[in-house]
Amino acid sequence: MLTKRGYPVFLTRDINKARAWLRKNARGSQQTGVLVTKVAARFKPQAVHVLGQGDENAVHWFLEDKTDIRSSNYLEDAATEIQVQGLELDYACVLWDADMRYEDNGWGYYKFNGKVKWNPEKNEESKKYMLNAYRVLLTRARQGFVICVPEGNSRLNAEGFPEDQTRLPEFYDGTYNYLKSLGINEL
C-alpha cells in the first residue's frame, strides 16, 4: 500500500472492491463517495450514475446521512470535479474513465461524442482543464482513497466485433499499468 504518514492509496479494476473498501474504512459519521470527471461518459455499466450539474443534487449528495439514498455514502451516484471543488470526503473512490488515458508514455485526452466514439481532444485549454479535473478529484479525500480504473469490455458479439466499442480494454489498461508502476498497490 502506498501511504504517506498513514494515508492509504489503493488501485483496483473492480468498482465493487472499491465500494467494499470505502464501507470498511468509514466509521461513524465519516463520509465516502465516488468521484468522476464531468466529461466521464461510460459508467452506467459500472452501476454508477453521474449526478446532474444542478446544485440541489450536490447538496443532497453531501449533506444527507447514510440512511438517504441520495447520500454520497450509498456509492451509487458520483459527483464531478465541479461539484466537489473546495469540499472534502473522508474516503473517496476516483473512478477513472477513458477521457484521460496514459498511452505511449504520456497522457492522451478524449471527449466522448455521445454515441459510439471517443474523439481525441485537440484544444490545449480543454486538455489543461481535464488534467486539472483529475487533480481536483485526487485531492478530495481526507483519510485515503482508491482509484478504480475499469477493465473495459473485451467481449465480442456474434459477428466478431467488439460488444461495446466505447469501453475497449486498451482505453483503460495503459492508465492502470502506469498508476501501478508508481507503486500504488492493488486492493
Side-chain angles (χ1 to χ4, degrees), residues 74-132:
Y74 258 72
L75 305 174
E76 294 175 356
D77 294 328
T80 69
E81 72 278 8
I82 302 297
Q83 295 159 324
V84 298
Q85 194 162 2
L87 301 169
E88 293 179 332
L89 299 165
D90 292 293
Y91 293 96
C93 170
V94 176
L95 190 50
W96 208 289
D97 203 2
D99 55 338
M100 194 171 99
R101 317 172 193 166
Y102 197 80
E103 52 191 12
D104 301 324
N105 297 316
W107 291 106
Y109 302 88
Y110 295 83
K111 277 196 171 174
F112 190 63
N113 73 356
K115 297 177 185 175
V116 296
K117 188 176 179 186
W118 289 94
N119 295 314
E121 177 59 65
K122 297 183 185 335
N123 182 292
E124 290 302 316
E125 286 302 310
S126 293
K127 290 178 183 180
K128 286 179 187 176
Y129 180 90
M130 293 167 82
L131 182 63
N132 190 55

Side-chain angles (χ1 to χ4, degrees), residues 35-103:
L35 306 172
V36 299
T37 64
K38 77 173 188 174
V39 296
R42 297 300 295 129
F43 290 133
K44 286 181 184 177
Q46 303 291 324
V48 172
H49 173 262
V50 179
L51 286 176
Q53 293 301 312
D55 290 340
E56 181 180 310
N57 293 323
V59 167
H60 292 297
W61 192 82
F62 267 106
L63 298 180
E64 300 303 338
D65 67 24
K66 294 179 181 188
T67 63
D68 190 315
I69 64 167
R70 298 171 296 176
S71 166
S72 65
N73 291 294
Y74 258 72
L75 305 174
E76 294 175 356
D77 294 328
T80 69
E81 72 278 8
I82 302 297
Q83 295 159 324
V84 298
Q85 194 162 2
L87 301 169
E88 293 179 332
L89 299 165
D90 292 293
Y91 293 96
C93 170
V94 176
L95 190 50
W96 208 289
D97 203 2
D99 55 338
M100 194 171 99
R101 317 172 193 166
Y102 197 80
E103 52 191 12

Side-chain angles (χ1 to χ4, degrees), residues 1-2 12 17 32-33 40 51 57-60 71 76 135 149 173:
M1 164 177 60
L2 180 69
T12 187
K17 283 185 180 179
T32 62
L51 286 176
N57 293 323
V59 167
H60 292 297
S71 166
E76 294 175 356
R135 181 201 59 80
V149 181
D173 291 345

Side-chain angles (χ1 to χ4, degrees), residues 170-182:
E170 56 263 29
F171 296 169
Y172 303 96
D173 291 345
T175 302
Y176 179 81
N177 292 330
Y178 173 71
L179 294 171
K180 190 171 180 182
S181 78
L182 297 176

Side-chain angles (χ1 to χ4, degrees), residues 136-157:
V136 169
L137 298 179
L138 291 167
T139 60
R140 297 303 93 193
R142 285 186 283 254
Q143 308 277 340
F145 67 96
V146 59
I147 301 169
C148 181
V149 181
E151 291 197 28
N153 183 341
S154 61
R155 294 184 300 270
L156 301 178
N157 64 22

